[in-house]
Every structure is written in C-alpha cells, then in structure tokens.
Amino acid sequence: MNKLEQKRKMMIQSGIENGLQNPKTLRLSRQLDKLMNQYDQNENIDEKTNFLN
C-alpha cells in the first residue's frame, strides 16, 4: 500500500510540473495502474482464501 501511495504522489507531482501528457507522467500512471492491479489481485486471493477457511 505504501508503494501505491508513493507512486501516486510521484505521478501527481510529475503532472503538475510536466503536464498530464508528458511521457514521464504517463509512464508513472502506467506503473501506478500496474501496482493497483497487483494489489487488487492479492486482495481477491486473500478474500477467497479467507472464505474457504
């Protein structure tokens, strides 16, 4: 969760400094999306495991 928050802050800062369509901002956005998807997958696995136990 901490990685998500750090990446989000970096993306916002890049958007402010460089613009929303800047390659750095877009790269950070893709990285944040990837982290959020990984987090979501892990949460779903945890929920299924808890349900089955």
Side-chain angles (χ1 to χ4, degrees):
M1 192 61 127
N2 195 24
K3 272 185 166 182
L4 282 171
E5 188 61 24
Q6 287 177 327
K7 192 65 72 173
R8 184 184 71 81
K9 287 179 181 180
M10 290 171 62
M11 182 193 69
I12 290 170
Q13 189 63 37
S14 178
I16 291 168
E17 293 176 1
N18 305 309
L20 298 178
Q21 295 299 318
N22 182 275
K24 179 179 179 182
T25 305
L26 294 172
R27 179 175 35 85
L28 289 166
S29 176
R30 285 190 300 272
Q31 291 172 354
L32 179 59
D33 286 346
K34 185 177 179 180
L35 285 172
M36 290 186 339
N37 288 334
Q38 289 172 350
Y39 178 80
D40 189 47
Q41 287 175 349
N42 289 339
E43 283 295 307
N44 286 336
I45 290 170
D46 289 344
E47 287 177 13
K48 289 176 186 175
T49 301
N50 288 335
F51 179 74
L52 295 174
N53 289 330

